[in-house]
Amino acid sequence: MRQGRSGLEPDAITALAADAYVYGSPLVRQLSAVQACLQEGCGTLAPAPFNDFAHADGPATPSTHVPFAPADLVDALAQLDLSGGPVRLHVPDTDGAYYVLQFVDAWGNAFAYLGPRATGTGEGDWMIVPPGWAGTVPDGVTGVIDAPTSVASVVGRLACDGPEDMPRIRALQQELTLTHLGDRAHRTGLPATEPGVPGELRFFEELRVWMGDFPPAPADRAYQDRFQPLGLLEEGLSPYVSPRPGLVRALRRGLALGRLRVEEEARRLATAPAGPPGAWRTVPHLRDHNLDHLGVGTLGSPEWRIPDREASYLVRAVAARRDRWLPHGYEAVYAHTSRDALGHPLDGSRRYVLRLDQPPPVRGLWSLTAYDSPGGHLVANAEERYAVGNRTPGLVHAADGSLTLHLAAERPADPVAAANWLPVPPGAFRPLMRLLLPGQAVLDGSYAIPPIEPYGNRPGV
């Protein structure tokens, strides 16, 4: 078989390109999202420059059109650039109310958290510093957050009890601020890639440029050096502007092979576990790929770290493909199902009940939301009620302390059922339960959310 300039045969180049996709796609996806947030906005959030927050107007509604958007949390998002020096973050006092600020580096690693679990709910000022920073911390700073890369994202979620709670949320939004402290101007955009690169090679060009500007952890660099034959370590003029046809073919095949590898792993992780029909699916360890930069609010114990570094690259690629800003399981677990206790697809033409013999064990909040399927969007209802949970007023518990939620497209006639009613779309739907600050029983699987039952399937309902 003919060899290229690298001395490697085309099949070896293809295999190497597939490895590069698995390794590098989180960087490309994360920074592409950063770029979109700067220029176009993100979902319902307007575009915002580096080192400034964009805030949602409120919780998700049917007009939001963002798949699986939360109906009881308000989003805040900031893209940080620390190339000009540190940034000071002011966090207001939430008076005990749940919030989280999650910090994600350019490679998609969640490296710090602020919030009730990690730092409490009081007021504070945090200094976010770039890699290698060795300056003086100003007076009045609560703590320092070391960013692994000079560009990072701050993903905020503030608990909201509905429209009547928005004045409190808006006041918090006004107080949640970022101040550039550096003595040099920060970037206004990401490092530019070379123009003229063919479309199918744009991934490798973006990876080449951004990999050079945002180096990985030292432990990853030997693995990254393997990609020299692909041109990914070249500086200056891009090797992808006028590439050899043989290289183009090998890179294109490697790209397809790498994508297939990530998709297959994503399907494997999404496969329902063995268990009763209608079992809920959770993936609490999708963020365990961060092995190197565990800062404020993170946990570094073995159960939260993937032991094999190369295996962590594949999990990181799945996380970037599935939800790039998903938190660690110890901060939040999301459970979903699409079938009832008899194994039938959930459909709003029927009524259902979810009996919780005991409330989900969380230290924060739990809530249940129903989305249409397959779109994952909220559907309007006359009550404008899109989530029920431990903050919902008026829920009626049985004498034994259990709670039976009623899932139906139409309001139940029975007053107790109506008080515990979650409106669902009239057709196929998918419920999602958010478990914020889950207890150990959720994380180790000893607590399982019961399957959703067709109404009348259980005696006494």
Side-chain angles (χ1 to χ4, degrees), residues 211-382:
M211 207 163 62
D213 276 83
F214 307 103
D220 289 335
R221 290 178 188 174
Y223 187 85
Q224 185 171 288
D225 287 345
R226 300 167 58 242
F227 304 134
Q228 175 68 55
L230 305 179
L232 285 173
L233 305 185
E234 297 290 333
E235 298 180 359
L237 182 65
S238 171
Y240 309 118
V241 172
S242 300
R244 293 175 288 105
L247 178 63
V248 173
R249 287 192 296 271
L251 292 179
R252 187 183 295 150
R253 287 196 298 267
L255 206 57
L257 184 60
R259 286 173 177 152
L260 180 62
R261 194 182 300 169
V262 174
E263 289 166 6
E264 287 176 345
E265 180 67 7
R267 280 195 295 271
R268 187 189 70 80
L269 291 173
T271 301
W280 294 73
R281 179 66 174 166
T282 63
V283 190
H285 293 284
L286 199 59
R287 275 293 180 206
D288 295 2
H289 52 78
N290 183 7
L291 306 178
D292 303 290
H293 300 290
L294 297 166
V296 176
T298 61
L299 301 181
S301 49
E303 65 266 32
W304 296 108
R305 294 162 64 91
I306 296 172
D308 180 83
R309 182 169 291 272
E310 193 165 338
S312 76
Y313 302 148
L314 183 57
V315 175
R316 184 176 67 181
V318 171
R321 176 184 182 273
R322 178 172 172 170
D323 187 342
R324 69 182 64 86
W325 292 323
L326 193 73
H328 280 91
Y330 48 74
E331 183 65 37
V333 167
Y334 305 119
H336 62 89
T337 186
S338 60
R339 294 182 178 273
D340 65 21
L342 303 179
H344 300 146
L346 295 168
D347 193 286
S349 62
R350 301 195 63 178
R351 291 176 59 186
Y352 301 91
V353 293
L354 173 62
R355 178 182 169 87
L356 301 172
D357 291 329
Q358 55 181 316
V362 298
R363 290 172 292 134
L365 319 171
W366 70 264
S367 67
L368 181 67
T369 306
Y371 300 91
D372 70 4
S373 182
H377 299 111
L378 297 171
V379 174
N381 64 78

Side-chain angles (χ1 to χ4, degrees), residues 1 6-19 226 229-230 250:
M1 189 174 287
S6 65
L8 296 180
E9 295 177 347
D11 286 351
I13 292 291
T14 294
L16 202 58
D19 288 346
R226 300 167 58 242
L230 305 179

Side-chain angles (χ1 to χ4, degrees), residues 4-89:
R5 286 185 187 176
S6 65
L8 296 180
E9 295 177 347
D11 286 351
I13 292 291
T14 294
L16 202 58
D19 288 346
Y21 178 82
V22 172
Y23 172 80
S25 60
L27 176 70
V28 173
R29 284 183 180 271
Q30 168 68 10
L31 292 181
S32 296
V34 169
Q35 193 159 259
C37 290
L38 298 175
Q39 298 173 355
E40 306 156 20
C42 179
T44 60
L45 298 174
F50 273 129
N51 303 333
D52 199 3
F53 273 103
H55 291 289
D57 292 333
T61 67
S63 63
T64 301
H65 301 304
V66 175
F68 301 105
D72 49 6
L73 298 170
V74 178
D75 292 333
L77 184 61
Q79 309 305 329
L80 305 181
D81 183 88
L82 308 172
S83 60
V87 168
R88 186 166 180 157
L89 166 67

Side-chain angles (χ1 to χ4, degrees), residues 86-286:
V87 168
R88 186 166 180 157
L89 166 67
H90 178 74
V91 179
D93 185 352
T94 67
D95 194 25
Y98 178 83
Y99 81 96
V100 65
L101 296 177
Q102 173 186 344
F103 296 77
V104 182
D105 71 13
W107 289 86
N109 295 308
F111 64 90
Y113 293 91
L114 303 180
R117 176 190 60 81
T119 55
T121 61
E123 184 177 15
D125 284 83
W126 295 83
M127 196 167 175
I128 310 162
V129 304
W133 185 81
T136 301
V137 178
D139 293 338
V141 169
T142 307
V144 174
I145 296 172
D146 292 290
T149 53
S150 61
V151 164
S153 300
V154 184
V155 184
R157 305 171 187 94
L158 289 75
C160 178
D161 290 332
E164 66 281 358
D165 196 25
M166 280 308 297
R168 179 185 69 87
I169 296 294
R170 292 191 185 98
L172 294 176
Q173 290 172 336
Q174 290 292 320
E175 294 184 61
L176 187 61
T177 59
L178 290 160
T179 305
H180 176 61
L181 300 180
D183 55 4
R184 306 181 309 280
H186 58 75
R187 296 185 189 97
T188 57
L190 291 175
T193 55
E194 192 80 28
V197 174
E200 65 268 28
L201 300 186
R202 291 300 305 171
F203 168 82
F204 293 100
E205 172 62 7
E206 290 171 341
L207 182 56
R208 180 188 75 89
V209 172
W210 292 339
M211 207 163 62
D213 276 83
F214 307 103
D220 289 335
R221 290 178 188 174
Y223 187 85
Q224 185 171 288
D225 287 345
R226 300 167 58 242
F227 304 134
Q228 175 68 55
L230 305 179
L232 285 173
L233 305 185
E234 297 290 333
E235 298 180 359
L237 182 65
S238 171
Y240 309 118
V241 172
S242 300
R244 293 175 288 105
L247 178 63
V248 173
R249 287 192 296 271
L251 292 179
R252 187 183 295 150
R253 287 196 298 267
L255 206 57
L257 184 60
R259 286 173 177 152
L260 180 62
R261 194 182 300 169
V262 174
E263 289 166 6
E264 287 176 345
E265 180 67 7
R267 280 195 295 271
R268 187 189 70 80
L269 291 173
T271 301
W280 294 73
R281 179 66 174 166
T282 63
V283 190
H285 293 284
L286 199 59

